[in-house]
Every structure is written in C-alpha cells, then in structure tokens.
Amino acid sequence: MKFLNRRVNNFWLPAIFSVGLFGFALFYLLPFLLGFYYSFFDLLDGRRFVGLANYADLFSSELFRMAMINTLIFTFLSLALAFVCSFGAAYLLRFSMLGRVIPRKLLFLPIAVPAVSISFVWMWLFHHRGFVSGFFDGIMTLNLFHGAWLYVPLLVLFLWRYSGFGILVYFAGLSRLPEEYLDAFRIESKSRAKLLWYVLLPHEKPRTVYLLLLNMLFSGSIFREIFAVWANYPPRQLYMIQHFVYNNFMRLQYERAATGGVILSFIVLACLAGILFWEKRGIE
Amino acid sequence: MKIKNKNLLIILGVCVVLALGGVFLFIRGGGGRLTEDVTNDPLRPQAVRLRGTYVFYDDAELVREDFTIRKIIGQTAGGYLVVLNERVGGGIIRTRSAQRIVLASECLLYYEDFFAVPPEWEAFIAAAVNDCGRLYVLGVNCPNFIYRYIPPVNVYMYIYNTAGELVERHRWERIPEVILQAINFDTFGVGSTYVYNDILVHVFSNGYVFFTKTGEVLHEFLQDTQQDFPLFTFAGGTVGGGHFYGLYFHGSYMDDSGAFVRYMGRDYNVRKIEIPTGRVVWEKTWDTETGRIENILFCSYREILYLFNFIQMFVYDTNTQEVYFLRDKTNSALSVFRRLNSGWIYSISILGDGRLHFVFTYHDGSRFTHMEWLFTPLYGEAARARTLEIAAGIAETPVIRYFALFPGVHHFGVQHDLGVFADEREALVQIDFATPMACPVAYVEYIETLNAAIFAGTANWDIISTPATASTANFDLASFIERGLLVDLLPFTRRSFIENNERFYTHMYELLLHNGGLYHLPIIVSVPLLLVPNTHPELEYLKERAQSWTWADFLQIVQRMYDETGTSPISCASAAWRYSSDFSPSDPISNVPPFFWFDEDLLFALGRGERHEEFSQTIGLYATLVSPAYNNQSSLSDFTFSNSIRVHNKYFTHAILPLPTMRGEYIFYLGMGYAVLTVGENRELAAEFLIDYHEARPTRFANEWLDLPRRPSESYIRENFPGETFADFEAVIYRVNTFPILPASIRIAIYDVVVQYVHGALTRDVAVGRVADIMWIYVNE
C-alpha cells in the first residue's frame, strides 16, 4: 500500500494536477497575458507600440470611469450584503431549531440554476409590467427597472443565488464551534452582541475571507444576468466593465477590450490582495 | 414534534404571512393587466384599447395569435368592434382568402368562425354597426373573386345585438349582380360597408349600392369599369343622419394585373347622398391632377370630413364646403402621418367623445401596428385658426411623381427628405410613388415597364430610378439621354462641384457627364481601392508606383509581398459613397464611411472591361489575401460601422491608393440612381429636389449625426422626441438608424425603452434620458 501511495503521490497526482494547470495556463493565463501584451499596442496600425496610451485613453474616457465605478459599487454592496445575509441566516440556523428542520442542501440549489433561466424569472417578477409592479398598480407607478431601484432586484438576485453557499459555509463553521467556548463566554456576559463580536466573528474569519474571495468572483459573474436581461446596453447604473470589454471586443476594438480586461483583472487582484492581507494581519 | 424554539415560530409566521401576501399579489394581478390610461401596445397587434385598459385577444381558444386586426368598425358601450383576419405564413395578411374572420369586442363579445369554406374558395366579409350598436356582418364566399365572382356564391347576413347574440341570420336567395361582378378584392371588403336603418351601403370601386339585409337592391350608382379609361372609383364613405358621404375620383387605370393597380387621379368628387333614395344632396369637385389618391380613406365627424392619404390629411367642412390641409407641424398627427408613408393604412375610425380618437391600423411591410391618436377637435373657428392653414386647394399642391425601382425603406428616406425639402421652402409638396410599398417590382419588370412607357410616350413620372450598372442589360441610359428624355441636372446644382479640380476623384464625374450634361445621379458609386497601413515599409514605394502602375505591375508587387511575408498588408476594398455629392470633398473618406465589400455585382461590373482576365487574377488574389470577414455580408453592419468610426478618429491610419483600373480606364460600380424625365410635369421641381436630396442630405446627415458624440445627445434626442406615440419613437429609431449603421443590440435597447414608455412605466423625460444614455454609451465605447 505504501508503494501504491508513493506512486500516486509521486506520479498520478502531479499528472492529474498538471492537466488542470495546463488548461488554466492555456485558457486563462495565456489569453490574459496576450491581452496584457495587446494593451500596449495599436493593433490597427501595424501593431504599433503605444506604451500606456491605451490605458490613458481608457482612464480619460468618462464611460470607462463610469463602468469602473459601477463595478466597484456593485461589488462592495454585494459583498457586504452577502456577508450579512449569509452570516445572519447561518446564525439563525445554528442557534435555532430551524437548522434541523430545513434541508440545507436546498440552499445550494440556486447556484445550479442557469443564469438565463433566472433572468427570465427575474424579469417576470421585477419588470415594469411584472408581478411586483402589478401589485402597486393603481397605487403608485413602481418601475424596478429604473433609477436607483435597478440595484434592488439585482442585489436580491445575487443574494438569492449566492448567499446559500455562504450560509452553508458559515453554518458548518459555527457548528464546529465548541460548546465550551460558548459556555465560558456566557459566564462572562449574556450579551449576544458581545458573543457575536468577540467569539463568533473572529472564529469565522477564515471562512469570511474565503467567502469574500468567492463572492467577489460571483459578483463579477452577475454580468451574465444583466446581459440576459438588458443585452449589450443596460441602464447607465448597471453598465459594468464587462460590458465595456465585451462591446469593444464585438466592435473589433481589441486593444480597448484588452486594456479594459487588464484593468479589471488588476482591480480584482488588488481586492484579493487586500483581503488576504487583512486575513494575514489577523492571524499575526 | 414539539416546537420549543420561539425563533422558529417567528420565522414560520413570517413565511405564512409571505405566502398569503403572495397569494394576494397573484389575485391582485400583475400579469397582463396594465396601468390605466395608457395607449395601445404597439408590439402586440391584437391589443385593443378598451376604456383605458387592455384586453389582449390572445386566448388560444378564441382568437389565436395568428390573427390580426383587419378593421375597427365602430365603438359600442362595450368597447370597440374589431374585425380580425387570419395571418398566414410570412406575416402577410391574407386579404383575399380570409377563411376565418372573427369579430371581437370586449371580452370577445362577438366571435364567429364564419367561413369554414373549402381551401380553394375565397371568402370576404364586410361589417358595419348601426346607430343602435347593432352589428351587421355580410359574408361572401365563392371559388374565384379576383375579376369576377363566379357562381356558386354564398352570401350570408348575420345581425347581432349589443349583447353579442345572433338575432338574425339570412342567406340571400337572390345574389345582387353587383356582387357577382365585383372586379377585384378592393371592391368588397371590410370597411366599405355602412348601415343605416337596416339598409346597407356598400362602396365598390366603381360606385355604391344600397341594399337591404335580405339582398334587395334599393339603389345603385355604378360606373362602367370595363372601359380602360376613365375609371370612377369610390374610396370610402360614411353614414350619418340618413345620408351617405361618397368620395370618388376620376382617373386613368394603368394595369389590372393585381400587382400594379394604379389610379392616376385627375379630379375628386365628394358628394352627400340621401339614403335610401340615392339623391345627391350636394357635391363638390376639384378639377386637378394631383395623383396620389389611391387608398384614400375618410370619415366624418360633426359635419366635418376627414380625408387621408399617405401624405396628408384634408379636412372638408361640409357647411362651408371648404377644404383645408392640416399644416401645423406642431400637431403630432401630421408628423406621425408623414412618417407613415412607407406603409399601408388599412383603416381609420373616428370615435367621438368630445375629442377625436383616430384609430389607424397600419402595415409597414413587416408587421401590423395598431395605433390611436387623440386629436384636438378640428371643428370650430378657434381650433381651425390654431391648427389649420387654409390652402388654396388641392390643385396648388405640386406633386413629384416618382417611379421607383425598390419600394420600401427607400421610400421612407425619400419621403422624409422631401418633407425637409418642402419645409425649407415653406411649400407643400407631395411625392407620388408609382410603385406602392405593397407591390415590389422585379428588376426586369421595372425596366420593361419603364422602357415601354417612356418610348410609348405614356410616362408622366418626374423621377425614375436608374438601375445599377451591373444590371443594365436591358436599360440603355445613353439612349435615353440621346433621345432627350432626361433632364440635365447640372443647372440645378448649387455647387459647381464639377469644376473643382482639387477633389480626389474628379474624374468620377467624367463618367457621369454625358455631352457636358449631368443626367444621372447614382445613389452609390463604388471605387476599388487599396488600403495600406501608414507603417508599411514599402508605402512610399507603393505610392510612387501607383502613379503609373499597370495591372501587371500591381499583380507582380502584391504577389511578391505575399510570397515574402506569407500575408499581405494590403486590403483591397471598395469604397462606396452613398450619395453622389459625397465624392466631391477633397478627402473622400472624411465625410462618409467607406463600405467594404466585394460582392458579385461588383465583380460582374468590373469584369465587363477588356482587362477581365487580369482583373480576375486580382480577384483571386484578393480572395486569398484578404480576411474572409471582409466578404461576410452578415457581419457587414458592425464591420462597416466599426470602420466608419475609425475613419473619423485617430485609429484610421491607412493610406489609400488607387487601383490600376482608375488610370485611363475608370472602373466604377454605379449603384441604383435617379434621373428626371423631361416629360414630367414638375420636372424642374423634381430636379431641384433631387439635387437637394443629393447635396444637402449628406450635409444634414453629417451635421446631425456625425457630431453626435460631441454634442449633448440628450438634448438632441429630446428635440426629436416630439410626440407621445409609438410612431414617434419609431421615427427616432429610424433617425438613429441613419447614424451610420446601428447594430441590432442598440435597436433592442431602444425598443425596450419605447415599450416601457408606451406602457406608462417611464415618463417622457426618463425615456428620453434612457435613449440618450444608450446612444451616449454606444458612441463612447
């Protein structure tokens, strides 16, 4: 058996892992590097090197700045709300009978539903002629597809779709919290707020970091839902960097698309670095 | 299980409340119910406004979705009475053989599957409502109807009360001769039947007949239609107070093949006829040759007749017997109406409730749209003073007769520019399309008709379409010019662009000039070009060689570069100018985007020269060297736009070199164009318009749209958002669409805003802002 284990460890595991690594390099890393390379060139002008001109061009574009701000706003809003909802629901599950009654696997289901299907349902619910607006018919004109209301259905969608996973993670974490800790704390204080602040949140910090990373990626993928509802040109508030990149790519403006993609990647990397730094500092 | 935790109870309670709320929401109804006091849903032809709410006739058991509105025949206390037609394949309404015609009103008050006739039979229906709201439905079916009904003919009369109950049903034992001899489908159809005191008035193309519900003819006024000329045609009528208003015009009948029916009117006659005696109470005639009187529709309200054709609305005051034109441009109805020129208006109804509801059923070639406008009442001196401008009469309206090759969107563009042309001159000018939208004419048929009419001396068109050079096998432009049939347009040009030697392709005009005259203005002129990147190392060499290179030189150079690098940095493309004046600027691509394509027509045209063989080699080389995307017509739109944007900004850094064909032997591809016939009665006006169309339009085009990114687009769109109807939005989209080429994604986004606005979910300001946002994003990406 030892021989078999050694062989698995020395050969098969690296072999299997290398396949994934190769795929990652081929389909993610290489396009990113190519995009990074293209962002320094003017492709229509015989691939002329233009330095940072493409970046300057994009940052001078009001549209791109707007897309960047929208992306950041939605990311931060969704992360914050996802954290509150996931942790809050997990707390309720952990410290109530609900956790024993509700089949927790159901919480994972929304992630498995295709984005397009969800978008159709969401349109039916929140469209200006939809179910929710219909309720206010005659009372007020409620158009959830307009103005500041635009974020509401989208955030609800995000929470419904992705917070279930967070609930499971937090629930697992809270379930592993030894009862002795809780009993010891209860001797000191009866305050639930203090329990939350001094015991539960620190205990869940590793999972919070993990979920922040994951939800940040999920928030980027919300572009699919926006695209399914509004196609290329959503309302101004929902115009994300992904729209900018996608539309420019479709219009053969590859260098702009590549530059936008690179900037988006750097934003994500910066956020990841910030989160990891926070985690590391907490550990130290 | 014993529940201990009170939190669980709270959560369960909340769930119950939410569930009950959901049930309440469902009962309260979102779904298809809409906000009150909104206009019709233009995207759903089955939608009919009923007292401010919607009723969609989409119940599969009653009216299937393949039905559409054929005619709104009246209004009762329960709502509108609507005749629906069955839609057949391709979205075309089967006007001849509507085997299942249903009548629908509120809650589908009336519904009948009238005719389960054999497929080879044709069926028609006419319906009318009397003053008491009683509905009369006349149905006819027979094996053949186009020229003459052939027995056996079945005629049924159904009469319904206001509750939708069938109260009488008659099968005519004696079929009136007029029905048996109806000459074409226009003579017997929905909308041309009126009822008064159980007496039906039916308008045929050659007169009118009064008959009872059992088919007994009381009075008839029918002209002999067997003669070729003249033809008396009644276009419509209405009944009120025991009188019937009839309109007929006298004119010549061009063809009766069904595809080319055409009336060239020379006078109008409006008369008021007493029912049932048929006595003419009064009549008014205008002696004019105004044309454009086919498909005229009219209806009356409070002794005012409203007459419509595709161009304008006449208002005829029966008290003063004066005719007015609706001229106030601020009236949205007129502006809307002018934009509808590309389609057919199937029916018009006036529904009076203190204001006038004009209900149009409109077909633009691709779909039916049902629209409704509210008019300020036009009767009364104050209203008239505000909204009407007294015109001297129809006779003073000049009409440009245009025999067009390809009706369709092209009509729309020409019509729009004619409106601008007329507005600039503060004149009322009509354009008369000899080829209606619904009658697309084949290329060969067009040329044959044109040749025959011109050389026979029967053509009276002012403007004609000239075919593209690739299709001139049967069309000899030079022969037309030599016979003096075409007007020299050069004196009408406001710019002496021919003499400007600084222009890039001045020799292009040499191709157009014939004996020093300009007789032909093509819409599109394509020139084969070479696009070479400015960074190409051999650019200077190529520029030098291009001054004098031959085909052999060119082929040798391109082949050498291809062999050396495996690819060619040269793009061989065709630059096309949409309007002739656009090839006058010194930099030909600074104003108009080049269109890159290399289609079969171009190959054919270019291959006609003596150097066919050499050029064929180039074509082969082209196919090898140039990206297949350049030949992909499906991607042409985005590609073209992308390039047009680049042309106007810093990204376009290519040098443009002429092909060898441009030296000595000019090779151009002339697209379809225009010419003015000397036999046209308004030829000078037509020539002036044509020059304006060619010279001023590109300038307007450029000023209005190419500066869009640099101007406050919202204010621009707001200025072009004059009305509150779907048609206005359509016009905006059309205008936006002229900004070089918009991809479908933009149209979808704008349509979504339109629908929300029309449904009352967005205010006008918000809708304008949304469209402005979309356009702003698009032009800034």
Side-chain angles (χ1 to χ4, degrees):
Chain A
M1 285 299 287
K2 280 187 178 179
F3 168 76
L4 190 61
N5 284 339
R6 195 161 54 242
R7 180 164 182 168
V8 167
N9 289 334
N10 293 342
F11 177 74
W12 285 110
L13 280 182
I16 294 170
F17 184 68
S18 65
V19 172
L21 195 64
F22 177 74
F24 174 77
L26 185 65
F27 296 114
Y28 285 88
L29 196 59
L30 183 63
F32 173 76
L33 292 176
L34 275 176
F36 187 69
Y37 170 75
Y38 287 148
S39 67
F40 296 104
F41 290 88
D42 186 342
L43 298 178
L44 280 175
D45 192 8
R47 198 173 290 181
R48 183 167 57 90
F49 181 76
V50 294
L52 294 174
N54 288 328
Y55 291 91
D57 184 34
L58 251 59
F59 280 113
S60 66
S61 163
E62 186 183 346
L63 177 69
F64 181 78
R65 292 201 303 272
M66 183 190 79
M68 199 164 60
I69 291 170
N70 287 345
T71 308
L72 291 174
I73 287 176
F74 183 80
T75 302
F76 287 126
L77 275 177
S78 57
L79 289 188
L81 285 174
F83 168 72
V84 171
C85 292
S86 301
F87 192 85
Y91 177 85
L92 286 176
L93 287 172
R94 168 66 178 81
F95 296 104
S96 73
M97 289 290 292
L98 207 61
R100 300 175 196 174
V101 177
I102 295 179
R104 289 186 292 275
K105 292 187 180 65
L106 288 178
L107 296 172
F108 197 74
L109 279 181
I111 296 181
V113 181
V116 175
S117 309
I118 292 174
S119 301
F120 279 123
V121 174
W122 240 244
M123 283 185 72
W124 176 75
L125 279 174
F126 296 113
H127 197 263
H128 67 280
R129 292 171 59 190
F131 189 71
V132 176
S133 299
F135 175 71
F136 294 97
D137 190 10
I139 304 169
M140 61 179 287
T141 302
L142 180 64
N143 185 2
L144 292 172
F145 272 26
H146 171 64
W149 287 106
L150 276 166
Y151 281 108
V152 174
L154 210 60
L155 286 170
V156 172
L157 169 64
F158 181 85
L159 294 176
W160 172 79
R161 188 164 166 79
Y162 296 114
S163 62
F165 184 70
I167 292 170
L168 289 179
V169 172
Y170 278 127
F171 182 77
L174 291 174
S175 300
R176 287 170 53 197
L177 185 66
E179 284 293 329
E180 291 81 4
Y181 282 22
L182 298 173
D183 294 339
F185 181 83
R186 284 174 187 136
I187 295 171
E188 298 288 333
S189 171
K190 298 291 183 187
S191 169
R192 292 196 173 191
K194 288 183 178 177
L195 173 70
L196 187 71
W197 186 252
Y198 291 111
V199 177
L200 301 184
L201 286 178
H203 182 264
E204 293 304 309
K205 187 170 182 179
R207 279 163 290 280
T208 302
V209 170
Y210 168 68
L211 287 174
L212 281 177
L213 296 176
L214 204 62
N215 282 335
M216 195 163 63
L217 300 178
F218 286 153
S219 73
S221 68
I222 203 73
F223 165 74
R224 293 178 305 175
E225 281 81 359
I226 302 175
F227 194 87
V229 175
W230 282 283
N232 303 55
Y233 295 96
R236 214 164 164 151
Q237 299 93 319
L238 297 183
Y239 188 85
M240 307 286 182
I241 292 182
Q242 292 96 323
H243 288 101
F244 184 87
V245 172
Y246 177 82
N247 291 346
N248 274 287
F249 179 81
M250 294 303 290
R251 292 166 70 170
L252 309 181
Q253 299 178 142
Y254 296 130
E255 63 271 25
R256 283 169 74 86
T259 309
V262 169
I263 292 173
L264 177 64
S265 302
F266 277 117
I267 290 174
V268 173
L269 287 175
C271 292
L272 290 175
I275 293 169
L276 292 174
F277 176 75
W278 175 62
E279 183 194 23
K280 188 177 179 184
R281 200 180 68 168
I283 291 172
E284 286 173 352
Chain B
M1 185 177 67
K2 187 177 181 182
I3 300 174
K4 294 179 180 178
N5 198 315
K6 65 178 182 181
N7 291 336
L8 180 60
L9 286 174
I10 293 171
I11 292 171
L12 286 175
V14 170
C15 290
V16 170
V17 170
L18 288 176
L20 290 175
V23 172
F24 176 73
L25 280 172
F26 187 79
I27 295 172
R28 178 75 172 78
R33 189 169 183 275
L34 302 177
T35 324
E36 290 197 348
D37 198 24
V38 294
T39 52
N40 289 329
D41 182 350
L43 299 182
R44 304 194 58 169
Q46 296 91 346
V48 176
R49 184 183 184 195
L50 297 177
R51 292 183 170 183
T53 59
Y54 280 100
V55 170
F56 293 128
Y57 294 117
D58 55 2
D59 190 327
E61 294 181 358
L62 296 172
V63 181
R64 296 183 301 274
E65 62 179 5
D66 53 353
F67 281 83
T68 188
I69 294 173
R70 175 72 175 91
K71 172 70 177 176
I72 298 173
I73 56 175
Q75 186 182 30
T76 69
Y80 294 165
L81 287 167
V82 182
V83 177
L84 305 175
N85 253 19
E86 185 182 19
R87 186 187 292 271
V88 294
I92 304 300
I93 292 298
R94 184 187 297 182
T95 54
R96 295 180 179 179
S97 180
Q99 295 176 12
R100 293 184 188 83
I101 300 175
V102 296
L103 294 174
S105 178
E106 186 179 38
C107 302
L108 301 171
L109 186 65
Y110 300 112
Y111 176 79
E112 281 288 342
D113 194 348
F114 278 106
F115 302 110
V117 297
E120 65 273 14
W121 277 42
E122 309 287 355
F124 271 99
I125 189 170
V129 185
N130 70 5
D131 293 338
C132 304
R134 183 163 285 197
L135 178 68
Y136 290 72
V137 179
L138 178 66
V140 179
N141 55 48
C142 67
N144 192 336
F145 72 97
I146 296 177
Y147 299 106
R148 181 183 175 87
Y149 286 113
I150 299 173
V153 175
N154 295 326
V155 180
Y156 297 93
M157 173 64 73
Y158 299 81
I159 302 175
Y160 295 85
N161 62 18
T162 54
E165 299 163 344
L166 181 66
V167 292
E168 287 186 52
R169 182 176 184 274
H170 302 278
R171 184 181 184 282
W172 292 0
E173 296 299 327
R174 174 183 172 274
I175 300 171
E177 187 67 15
V178 291
I179 291 181
L180 291 175
Q181 291 187 349
I183 61 166
N184 62 47
F185 65 87
D186 284 328
T187 63
F188 198 81
V190 172
S192 54
T193 297
Y194 307 90
V195 61
Y196 179 73
N197 283 348
D198 271 358
I199 296 173
L200 283 92
V201 178
H202 194 86
V203 178
F204 293 87
S205 62
N206 60 331
Y208 48 85
V209 177
F210 300 167
F211 46 73
T212 67
K213 58 188 177 184
T214 56
E216 179 186 358
V217 175
L218 300 175
H219 173 78
E220 65 180 33
F221 174 81
L222 297 172
Q223 301 299 310
D224 185 2
T225 60
Q226 302 309 313
Q227 301 175 10
D228 289 335
F229 306 100
L231 178 73
F232 292 86
T233 301
F234 279 80
T238 186
V239 168
H243 293 91
F244 162 68
Y245 293 109
L247 169 75
Y248 81 96
F249 46 86
H250 165 266
S252 57
Y253 188 52
M254 183 173 170
D255 188 6
D256 62 357
S257 64
F260 231 68
V261 175
R262 174 83 184 106
Y263 304 109
M264 306 295 287
R266 284 196 285 272
D267 55 39
Y268 286 100
N269 178 283
V270 175
R271 55 176 59 185
K272 185 174 184 179
I273 305 130
E274 191 177 67
I275 301 174
T277 62
R279 181 177 69 88
V280 177
V281 180
W282 56 258
E283 65 179 320
K284 175 78 173 178
T285 302
W286 297 277
D287 297 322
T288 176
E289 291 192 25
T290 180
R292 197 60 192 179
I293 52 177
E294 81 274 28
N295 259 28
I296 198 163
L297 300 165
F298 77 112
C299 44
S300 70
Y301 185 65
R302 296 190 180 183
E303 296 298 305
I304 304 284
L305 296 181
Y306 298 88
L307 295 79
F308 300 80
N309 63 11
F310 284 160
I311 305 299
Q312 58 199 320
M313 184 170 84
F314 313 94
V315 180
Y316 182 69
D317 190 331
T318 60
N319 295 316
T320 62
Q321 296 197 7
E322 288 180 308
V323 176
Y324 306 92
F325 292 99
L326 192 64
R327 279 289 295 146
D328 190 344
K329 287 196 299 181
T330 59
N331 190 315
S332 61
L334 178 60
S335 61
V336 167
F337 211 77
R338 286 170 62 168
R339 293 174 194 137
L340 292 180
N341 292 332
S342 62
W344 293 105
I345 296 175
Y346 272 74
S347 64
I348 296 174
S349 302
I350 295 182
L351 306 165
D353 61 355
R355 292 186 296 177
L356 299 183
H357 298 244
F358 281 72
V359 182
F360 297 91
T361 304
Y362 165 68
H363 184 219
D364 66 354
S366 60
R367 68 173 187 279
F368 275 80
T369 303
H370 173 63
M371 292 171 286
E372 177 175 334
W373 285 280
L374 288 177
F375 274 42
T376 301
L378 298 177
Y379 51 89
E381 291 301 323
R384 181 178 303 146
R386 187 175 70 254
T387 59
L388 299 180
E389 182 177 298
I390 297 176
I394 301 174
E396 294 188 2
T397 303
V399 177
I400 298 174
R401 293 189 175 88
Y402 175 26
F403 190 49
L405 176 56
F406 292 120
V409 177
H410 179 57
H411 276 190
F412 204 168
V414 171
Q415 186 59 54
H416 173 270
D417 280 84
L418 183 74
V420 177
F421 174 74
D423 290 343
E424 288 175 349
R425 285 153 185 77
E426 297 182 350
L428 187 62
V429 180
Q430 294 183 36
I431 193 157
D432 179 17
F433 293 105
T435 39
M437 281 291 296
C439 301
V441 180
Y443 223 107
V444 174
E445 183 186 354
Y446 170 83
I447 293 173
E448 288 177 353
T449 306
L450 183 66
N451 285 336
I454 287 180
F455 291 116
T458 58
N460 62 349
W461 307 297
D462 297 301
I463 300 176
I464 60 168
S465 296
T466 52
T469 52
S471 307
T472 54
N474 300 317
F475 183 77
D476 190 355
L477 191 65
S479 173
F480 275 53
I481 296 170
E482 289 166 5
R483 288 167 179 256
L485 292 170
L486 302 183
V487 173
D488 181 8
L489 301 173
L490 208 52
F492 295 93
T493 58
R494 289 192 294 272
R495 298 184 305 182
S496 56
F497 54 87
I498 300 295
E499 299 166 359
N500 190 339
N501 293 325
E502 295 180 356
R503 294 190 174 91
F504 194 83
Y505 293 120
T506 53
H507 46 283
M508 181 176 291
Y509 294 101
E510 297 171 20
L511 186 76
L512 301 179
L513 293 179
H514 191 279
N515 296 332
L518 182 65
Y519 298 95
H520 168 234
L521 286 174
I523 297 174
I524 296 175
V525 176
S526 303
V527 183
L529 295 172
L530 285 182
L531 301 181
V532 184
N534 286 338
T535 54
H536 191 272
E538 295 190 67
L539 177 62
E540 293 304 318
Y541 170 71
L542 290 173
K543 281 183 178 177
E544 184 182 345
R545 291 298 304 269
Q547 298 298 319
S548 58
W549 62 12
T550 63
W551 272 107
D553 297 336
F554 170 72
L555 291 172
Q556 186 182 10
I557 291 169
V558 174
Q559 188 66 55
R560 176 179 60 78
M561 292 195 302
Y562 180 68
D563 292 340
E564 287 175 359
T565 62
T567 181
S568 172
I570 296 178
S571 298
C572 184
S574 168
W577 285 264
R578 277 200 168 275
Y579 304 98
S580 62
S581 61
D582 288 324
F583 45 74
S584 59
S586 56
D587 180 1
I589 60 168
S590 63
N591 279 0
V592 174
F595 287 69
F596 294 84
W597 82 87
F598 222 73
D599 56 16
E600 292 181 357
D601 286 344
L602 181 61
L603 300 183
F604 179 79
L606 297 179
R608 287 165 65 93
E610 295 175 0
R611 301 186 181 275
H612 173 77
E613 185 178 351
E614 289 182 354
F615 196 80
S616 297
Q617 294 179 36
T618 308
I619 301 308
L621 201 60
Y622 170 85
T624 306
L625 303 181
V626 180
S627 165
Y630 282 57
N631 280 324
N632 189 348
Q633 293 293 324
S634 63
S635 64
L636 183 62
S637 296
D638 282 340
F639 181 78
T640 303
F641 181 78
S642 176
N643 278 280
S644 67
I645 288 296
R646 292 171 192 282
V647 166
H648 293 285
N649 65 28
K650 61 181 181 180
Y651 292 106
F652 191 81
T653 52
H654 284 58
I656 299 176
L657 302 181
L659 278 174
T661 49
M662 297 179 63
R663 303 290 169 188
E665 292 182 8
Y666 307 134
I667 292 185
F668 300 96
Y669 171 68
L670 299 179
M672 191 189 83
Y674 308 99
V676 176
L677 290 179
T678 53
V679 296
E681 295 181 2
N682 289 303
R683 53 187 176 276
E684 292 188 358
L685 185 66
E688 192 180 344
F689 164 65
L690 208 53
I691 292 297
D692 178 86
Y693 185 62
H694 274 247
E695 292 189 353
R697 178 187 164 98
T699 306
R700 286 195 296 268
F701 178 86
N703 291 340
E704 290 176 2
W705 291 110
L706 295 184
D707 286 341
L708 187 61
R710 293 183 290 279
R711 61 185 295 168
S713 55
E714 181 166 340
S715 64
Y716 180 82
I717 293 171
R718 186 180 301 282
E719 290 166 9
N720 287 276
F721 250 57
E724 298 177 348
T725 65
F726 179 75
D728 289 311
F729 283 96
E730 273 286 280
V732 169
I733 291 173
Y734 169 75
R735 298 281 292 163
V736 170
N737 204 24
T738 60
F739 172 63
I741 293 175
L742 278 183
S745 54
I746 287 288
R747 294 183 64 84
I748 292 169
I750 295 177
Y751 264 116
D752 186 59
V753 180
V754 170
V755 171
Q756 291 190 52
Y757 171 75
V758 171
H759 288 167
L762 296 180
T763 64
R764 182 173 179 274
D765 285 346
V766 173
V768 168
R770 280 283 293 124
V771 174
D773 282 352
I774 292 168
M775 289 306 298
W776 178 78
I777 290 173
Y778 181 61
V779 298
N780 283 286
E781 276 182 336

